Amino acid sequence: MDVATALSLATAAAASAAGGAADAAGQSAWESLLSLARRVGGSRGDGDPGEGRLAVVDPADSGQVGALTGWLDEQARADEEFAALLRGWAERHASVLRAERSEVRNTVSGSAQVRGPVIQARDIHGGVNLG
């Protein structure tokens, strides 16, 4: 997995944590990402993103999330070890975050005339039997 994909998943983690229906796995992914960033930022001693700034990243604030992902990108470009940690984070949380980003809207409306069963679903694992 590349760093760009990891950064995309970081944004998905923020969206998951910010949503009213955030599930435990999405919230855990977000908190894990912040923990990684705090550890790396603190261990460098450069103060950026800083003592305090990461402690208050609001996942619903696109500006704060953008600043965080920008910082993550800079750190990953400057430090291959951090890039590997970020990719590892993304690999651990990818399946949950990708599933949360997919969306299905099932609608039967307008002048539609339904003359039989209608199945509306997102994921179906196994067969569907209507008779």
Side-chain angles (χ1 to χ4, degrees), residues 83-106:
L85 291 170
L86 182 60
R87 288 190 301 266
W89 170 86
E91 288 168 3
R92 281 189 305 282
H93 298 284
S95 62
V96 168
L97 296 172
R98 285 186 175 138
E100 288 185 10
R101 290 182 68 182
S102 66
E103 187 175 307
V104 174
R105 292 191 177 130
N106 296 304

Side-chain angles (χ1 to χ4, degrees), residues 25-59:
Q27 184 68 34
S28 174
W30 174 248
E31 290 172 3
S32 173
L33 177 65
L34 289 180
S35 177
L36 171 64
R38 286 183 192 115
R39 278 193 322 269
V40 171
S43 70
R44 296 226 164 97
D46 60 9
D48 194 19
E51 337 242 319
R53 261 202 335 179
L54 279 178
V56 295
V57 176
D58 179 357

Side-chain angles (χ1 to χ4, degrees), residues 1-12 86-87 89-90 94 98 101:
M1 179 172 304
D2 62 13
V3 169
T5 302
L7 294 172
S8 175
L9 289 171
T11 302
L86 182 60
R87 288 190 301 266
W89 170 86
R98 285 186 175 138
R101 290 182 68 182

Side-chain angles (χ1 to χ4, degrees), residues 59-80:
D61 183 322
S62 61
Q64 290 181 17
V65 172
L68 173 64
T69 57
W71 182 85
L72 292 170
D73 187 32
E74 289 174 14
Q75 299 307 307
R77 290 175 192 271
D79 181 351
E80 181 53 41

Side-chain angles (χ1 to χ4, degrees), residues 111-128:
S111 61
Q113 296 181 5
V114 178
R115 295 192 174 120
V118 174
I119 298 174
Q120 297 185 333
R122 187 184 119 184
D123 298 324
I124 297 175
H125 302 279
V128 175

